[in-house]
Amino acid sequence: MDKRYEHKIKEPEVLKKWADAEAFKADIDSGKKPYTIILPPPNASGKMHVGNALMIAIEDLLIRWKRMKGYEALWVPGTDHAGFESQTTFERELKKQGKSRFDYDRDTFYKMMMEFVLNNKNLIEEQFKSMGASVDWSRYTFTLEERSINTVISTFEKMVKDGLIYRSDYVVNYSFKYGTTFSDAEIVMKERTDPLYYIKYGPLTVATVRPETKLGDTALAVNPADLRYKDYIGKEISFDDVTGKNKLKVIGDSYVDPAFGTGVLKVTPAHDKNDYEIGIRHGLEVKQVIGIDGKMTSLAGKYEGMKVLDARKQVVEDLEKMGVMEKIDTTYVHPVPVDYRSEDYIEQLVLPNWFIKVDSLKKAGLEAVQKGHVKIFPKWQEITYTRWMENMRDWAISRQIVWGIRVPAWYSVDENPNLFVTFIKGGKAVSGKVSHLLSKYELGEISSGLQSLFAPNKAKYVVQKDSPGAGFLPETDTFDTWFSSGQWPLITLGYPDSRDYKHFYPTDVLETGWEIITRWVSRMIMFGIYLTGKPPFKEVYLHGRVMALDGKKMSKSLGNVINPEEYQTEFGTDALRMGLISGTANGKDFAFPKDKVLAYRNFSNKIWNMVRFLFLLAEEENLSSEEMKSYRPGDSEKDSTDLEMYDDFKELVKSVDKSLSKYRFSDAGDAIYHYMWDKLASTYIEDVKSRENPELKKVGLKNLSYLLINCLKVLHPFMPFVTETIWGEFLEKGLVEKPLLAKTEWPGV
RNA sequence: GGGCUUGUAGCUCAGUUGGUCAGAGCGUUCGGUUUACAUCCGAAAGGUCCCUGGUUCGAGCCCAGGCAGGCCCACCA
């Protein structure tokens, strides 16, 4: 054996052993009880970050432990297409070539994206392999492969049949730049200084930062408790507007804050979420003055066709000319919604979208947790889950992006003359109402060059995967990524009729970061119960977030991102894994100092040298392999220390089992670390090596060998590489039988 | 504004139902290498367990209030 444990040489050797033996392929027919984890799928075109590394370390620990405990352990890998994120990455690439997605029709763009992702997918898979993840690669799934798409589509079809799907106008976060909606989760508020305009509406004055939306006003609102305006409620006021004479009703709504501005609010349901809700409460008309192209619509009268900001300028100018601009506060600071990635401004628009009615689903999802069918660790995260579920509103599942699973709906052009389509013809985009376009173009041309389609809210549609025939155009929206990943346990296991599904569903534990409990965990529980009657997992373990060395959240802009690969290279994968594990006690966020990784690199080397020394001494004492191998503790100890070490080992195994079953990984790892280092290395080896009596020394060595072999087993789930490597050394000496430690049974005590 | 969460040695953190619970790793200081490992061994220094009250025979641990962080959700036009 070498003087040091060289992880750079040994790790690839170990990986090859496992791969050659197909060690982690789960066998349905083994007769063993299944234990299943579905890997939260990382972005297929991304690369491994330290959060992924933590996830692998924890899940691999659980899986290896259960596998050794005699379960048929299945860990299913996969990758996610990460709709919006991947598409924007790809579009950045396109931009470098002077292209954009507006240069391509939908199908061509999708194919290009697929090629791009398939080319990049390899990277993260290789990185996961290098971490020693004992996943079953034969069951690997990608969210955009045929099988996934079919499952997602049939779920959608079932939901349509069950009356859970509807199309509706809704105020969505819309980016003109990216031409798509964003979920609320993708929006952040950013402070900005904007002029606050005080505009006269007859006798009343309204403060607003968006005067151009006044064209879409359908009421004025005041707080019913506000004595200043009490008498106006229910009355209609007339005033001169930029588009001529106008009238608006005054309504009372407690949403209005009397202390802000003048205490009078202009209500623009089409362009503000809160206004939209006020509109619903009071039955107001929705008047859309900003179009999907970012320009004013025909409802904006003379401002039609102007871009939003130009219209704003013009409206302000006109208001000033009319003398109804009371004042302008230029120091007003307020939060505006922006895309959290690019910080581009987000417009609120009313658009037709596909929705899921969540009432029945969320009720079942809530019950599953409240009744303990799904247990969440740490327990306090249940509150997050419960609150989110209780407040969950209908879920808008459509996205105006290409990279995803297309909503399987089709529109008849005869029945829907108002479909607004954009298609590529001879390299150029042509847009318009389909009824107009058909006078100039063939439907086939439109269909094959189709880029996007907007169907009015009341459009008639047919739901099915393939085209119903000539005369139909497809929906171009795709599903929200969470719609497909919410079905991930079902997709990966081949719901509804595969053997895997029948054998391994429901899975045992879902392990993921707490920040997606709302977006992902809740959806999986809902879909699982909806489709199968059972939640997809029995327990949820939520790990904390790995923070940077400075204790702050890692971000590219702060430059404090920890690259797990660097630690892997410098200290070894085992050290990285153990370093991450030893900070996860309560599922809290934790800083990740390099010291920890270093400490476990030293530990790897320590174990290596303990074994090396054992072999050296055994040779000196002429101990035969047979003699060592046949030894069992209790056979022939003369020295109480020998038995004491064995008793301590038994205690160790019990405490490790207990800690792991409670997801207390750090406790378990620490216990092994201290047993091996403090007891076996620092105390016991020193004792044995100084024994004068050769018989006692031999017994000590045999006992030591036995204990080390068994320690390797207990440590294996934590530090699979160094333990498997050393196992190979024991195997070579004929001291153990099983070729792979990973497939060895856990010590029975 | 609503909610969750944290405050223990220089740093990163354990401390599970209140009773050897004042700990670990790293760092610091001192001392060690004739049979493993300097990625080592031994030893030491270092804490008002955020503050103030309370419950208790007894409190990092329970309760109340405060101070200071972190995060999530919602956002006043």
Side-chain angles (χ1 to χ4, degrees):
Chain A
M1 287 173 80
D2 298 327
K3 198 172 172 184
R4 290 175 190 161
Y5 171 65
E6 301 285 356
H7 66 266
K8 279 181 201 164
I9 299 165
K10 302 297 185 186
E11 286 184 11
E13 290 174 8
V14 168
L15 285 173
K16 188 169 182 309
K17 270 192 210 171
W18 290 335
D20 289 350
E22 292 192 322
F24 309 125
K25 194 166 173 176
D27 177 10
I28 288 192
D29 301 314
S30 67
K32 295 176 181 172
K33 203 177 161 203
Y35 179 85
T36 315
I37 296 180
I38 308 291
L39 176 81
N43 180 345
S45 58
K47 63 175 200 175
M48 180 171 74
H49 55 76
V50 69
N52 295 142
L54 173 63
M55 169 181 88
I56 294 172
I58 294 175
E59 291 173 26
D60 196 41
L61 167 53
L62 288 169
I63 280 285
R64 284 181 188 269
W65 173 53
K66 289 287 184 178
R67 186 181 290 122
M68 293 174 82
K69 293 282 278 185
Y71 288 82
E72 191 57 50
L74 170 62
W75 189 13
V76 186
T79 45
D80 188 51
H81 63 281
F84 180 79
E85 216 171 320
S86 296
Q87 182 165 326
T88 41
T89 307
F90 180 60
E91 285 185 46
R92 268 202 301 275
E93 293 297 311
L94 275 184
K95 203 177 172 186
K96 287 179 194 162
Q97 302 160 29
K99 299 275 188 187
S100 87
R101 82 189 140 85
F102 299 108
D103 296 324
Y104 305 97
D105 66 76
R106 202 181 176 285
D107 285 349
T108 306
F109 187 82
Y110 187 89
K111 281 180 191 137
M112 288 163 64
M113 272 277 342
M114 184 60 94
E115 199 178 327
F116 170 77
V117 171
L118 291 181
N119 282 340
N120 284 281
K121 205 155 72 72
N122 210 23
L123 174 66
I124 193 141
E125 287 167 21
E126 287 307 315
Q127 285 175 320
F128 274 41
K129 279 181 190 162
S130 79
M131 282 294 292
S134 64
V135 297
D136 183 347
W137 289 102
S138 74
R139 286 174 164 90
Y140 171 88
T141 313
F142 174 49
T143 48
L144 285 189
E145 66 189 62
E146 198 61 22
R147 200 155 64 87
S148 312
I149 294 173
N150 287 340
T151 305
V152 169
I153 287 180
S154 57
T155 300
F156 182 72
E157 286 169 345
K158 177 175 158 59
M159 295 183 107
V160 170
K161 275 195 202 113
D162 290 347
L164 293 176
I165 301 289
Y166 64 95
R167 275 166 61 76
S168 168
D169 277 337
Y170 189 64
V171 184
V172 293
N173 308 303
Y174 193 85
S175 162
F176 292 128
K177 178 169 176 184
Y178 295 111
T180 186
T181 49
F182 286 106
S183 66
D184 288 343
E186 291 164 315
I187 301 301
V188 292
M189 304 306 278
K190 199 185 164 194
E191 296 266 292
R192 205 170 73 178
T193 306
D194 280 311
L196 182 63
Y197 303 96
Y198 285 74
I199 302 165
K200 282 186 195 160
Y201 283 66
L204 300 175
T205 301
V206 168
T208 179
V209 288
R210 305 199 51 194
E212 76 283 4
T213 62
K214 83 188 302 293
L215 303 161
D217 290 348
T218 49
L220 294 176
V222 297
N223 193 305
D226 191 337
L227 296 176
R228 292 174 293 178
Y229 305 117
K230 213 173 149 242
D231 294 340
Y232 286 99
I233 294 175
K235 298 207 172 114
E236 212 169 51
I237 55 157
S238 300
F239 58 98
D240 288 325
D241 206 345
V242 286
T243 46
K245 292 270 181 211
N246 202 353
K247 283 188 293 192
L248 283 176
K249 201 171 138 189
V250 179
I251 56 173
D253 195 294
S254 56
Y255 168 78
V256 181
D257 178 4
F260 184 87
T262 58
V264 184
L265 170 71
K266 63 193 248 338
V267 187
T268 322
H271 300 293
D272 185 279
K273 230 165 237 188
N274 294 308
D275 290 12
Y276 185 77
E277 288 185 358
I278 295 173
I280 286 176
R281 283 199 285 275
H282 298 273
L284 300 178
E285 188 197 338
V286 178
K287 189 178 169 194
Q288 186 167 350
V289 291
I290 299 171
I292 191 140
D293 50 1
K295 291 176 182 165
M296 304 306 283
T297 66
S298 58
L299 292 178
K302 63 178 177 179
Y303 303 97
E304 183 181 356
M306 293 174 87
K307 284 189 182 167
V308 174
L309 289 180
D310 296 338
R312 183 178 305 174
K313 256 185 229 161
Q314 192 57 51
V315 169
V316 168
E317 204 174 291
D318 294 348
L319 288 168
E320 280 176 333
K321 269 187 212 153
M322 292 166 63
V324 294
M325 184 70 82
E326 197 172 285
K327 64 171 176 178
I328 302 173
D329 176 359
T330 53
T331 60
Y332 178 59
V333 179
H334 69 141
V336 294
V338 296
D339 164 24
Y340 81 97
R341 301 173 189 85
S342 67
E343 302 213 326
D344 286 324
Y345 181 67
I346 297 295
E347 189 76 42
Q348 301 194 338
L349 275 190
V350 170
L351 274 187
N353 267 277
W354 295 86
F355 283 83
I356 293 181
K357 287 184 195 164
V358 296
D359 282 348
S360 60
L361 302 176
K362 79 181 188 188
K363 192 163 166 266
L366 262 173
E367 268 181 21
V369 169
Q370 281 163 351
K371 291 188 175 166
H373 302 313
V374 177
K375 292 200 182 80
I376 297 178
F377 298 85
K379 196 166 167 48
W380 53 265
Q381 290 285 8
E382 266 186 33
I383 298 167
T384 315
Y385 176 86
T386 308
R387 285 173 52 85
W388 163 268
M389 288 297 259
E390 283 167 353
N391 297 325
M392 188 179 198
R393 290 191 286 187
D394 281 0
W395 175 16
I397 50 169
S398 44
R399 293 291 121 92
Q400 288 70 46
I401 59 176
V402 173
W403 186 234
I405 299 174
R406 193 179 65 78
V407 175
W410 301 84
Y411 302 96
S412 152
V413 290
D414 293 335
E415 291 182 59
N416 302 293
N418 290 330
L419 294 175
F420 185 89
V421 300
T422 304
F423 71 104
I424 304 293
K425 162 81 180 168
K428 282 194 172 171
V430 182
S431 298
K433 279 187 186 176
V434 75
S435 52
H436 296 163
L437 294 173
L438 281 173
S439 59
K440 275 174 136 182
Y441 305 95
E442 298 293 321
L443 183 58
E445 287 180 290
I446 297 175
S447 167
S448 65
L450 190 64
Q451 190 177 64
S452 67
L453 174 151
F454 286 100
N457 203 9
K458 302 291 172 208
K460 287 187 180 164
Y461 59 87
V462 180
V463 169
Q464 61 185 62
K465 189 182 176 194
D466 299 312
S467 173
F472 283 86
L473 286 175
E475 171 62 77
T476 51
D477 283 3
T478 48
F479 288 114
D480 178 5
T481 300
W482 301 110
F483 183 79
S484 47
S485 54
Q487 301 170 52
W488 196 232
L490 300 162
I491 293 169
T492 49
L493 291 177
Y495 168 83
D497 44 22
S498 81
R499 289 190 70 204
D500 270 4
Y501 166 69
K502 288 170 187 158
H503 192 67
F504 293 109
Y505 189 93
T507 69
D508 289 86
V509 55
L510 174 83
E511 197 285 329
T512 191
W514 56 258
E515 68 268 30
I516 49 176
I517 184 170
T518 52
R519 296 185 197 106
W520 194 42
V521 179
S522 62
R523 270 78 185 256
M524 281 194 289
I525 293 176
M526 290 194 300
F527 278 121
I529 297 174
Y530 171 61
L531 293 169
T532 74
K534 287 179 194 166
F537 28 75
K538 296 162 198 138
E539 297 189 340
V540 176
Y541 176 76
L542 299 162
H543 61 244
R545 199 162 38 192
V546 186
M547 308 301 259
L549 296 168
D550 53 11
K552 289 190 180 137
K553 196 169 155 178
M554 282 189 253
S555 78
K556 278 178 194 155
S557 56
L558 286 175
N560 58 0
V561 177
I562 296 168
N563 179 1
E565 269 193 307
E566 283 172 22
Y567 287 1
Q568 259 186 301
T569 311
E570 191 174 353
F571 302 113
T573 304
D574 290 325
L576 169 66
R577 290 173 49 142
M578 198 65 167
L580 284 165
I581 291 281
S582 77
T584 56
N586 285 331
K588 291 185 305 199
D589 294 348
F590 62 100
F592 186 42
K594 207 173 181 173
D595 295 345
K596 272 205 236 174
V597 189
L598 178 110
Y600 290 110
R601 190 275 311 262
N602 294 353
F603 184 47
S604 306
N605 191 55
K606 186 71 192 179
I607 308 162
W608 177 260
N609 272 288
M610 286 164 77
V611 174
R612 205 179 130 216
F613 192 47
L614 166 72
F615 290 165
L616 253 162
L617 292 178
E619 204 174 334
E620 246 176 43
E621 298 298 320
N622 288 315
L623 261 177
S624 72
S625 294
E626 288 70 33
E627 217 180 325
M628 288 174 85
K629 196 175 154 187
S630 60
Y631 168 87
R632 290 292 171 277
D635 284 358
S636 58
E637 287 83 354
K638 302 278 190 310
D639 190 322
S640 65
T641 316
D642 298 327
L643 275 175
E644 196 184 307
M645 284 297 149
Y646 179 57
D647 287 340
D648 286 349
F649 176 75
K650 288 193 287 191
E651 284 307 309
L652 171 72
V653 176
K654 277 184 207 158
S655 82
V656 168
D657 275 332
K658 196 176 163 194
S659 295
L660 290 184
S661 65
K662 291 194 290 186
Y663 299 101
R664 298 192 59 97
F665 311 114
S666 196
D667 289 357
D670 273 5
I672 304 170
Y673 178 91
H674 288 293
Y675 176 77
M676 290 186 79
W677 200 312
D678 300 347
K679 293 207 166 130
L680 287 189
S682 299
T683 309
Y684 194 46
I685 290 184
E686 293 304 319
D687 175 41
V688 172
K689 94 179 175 193
S690 64
R691 288 183 187 178
E692 300 290 340
N693 180 325
E695 280 313 305
L696 285 183
K697 194 165 185 179
K698 278 186 187 176
V699 172
L701 288 174
K702 287 190 278 188
N703 196 43
L704 178 63
S705 168
Y706 178 90
L707 292 174
L708 276 173
I709 288 169
N710 282 285
C711 277
L712 288 182
K713 295 178 186 172
V714 182
L715 184 61
H716 179 72
F718 298 81
M719 304 181 81
F721 290 98
V722 66
T723 50
E724 189 71 81
T725 303
I726 295 174
W727 186 265
E729 299 288 338
F730 275 104
L731 189 68
E732 226 172 86
K733 290 253 187 304
L735 294 174
V736 294
E737 304 254 324
K738 289 270 173 73
L740 287 177
L741 174 57
K743 300 288 274 183
T744 304
E745 15 357 274
W746 195 251
V749 289

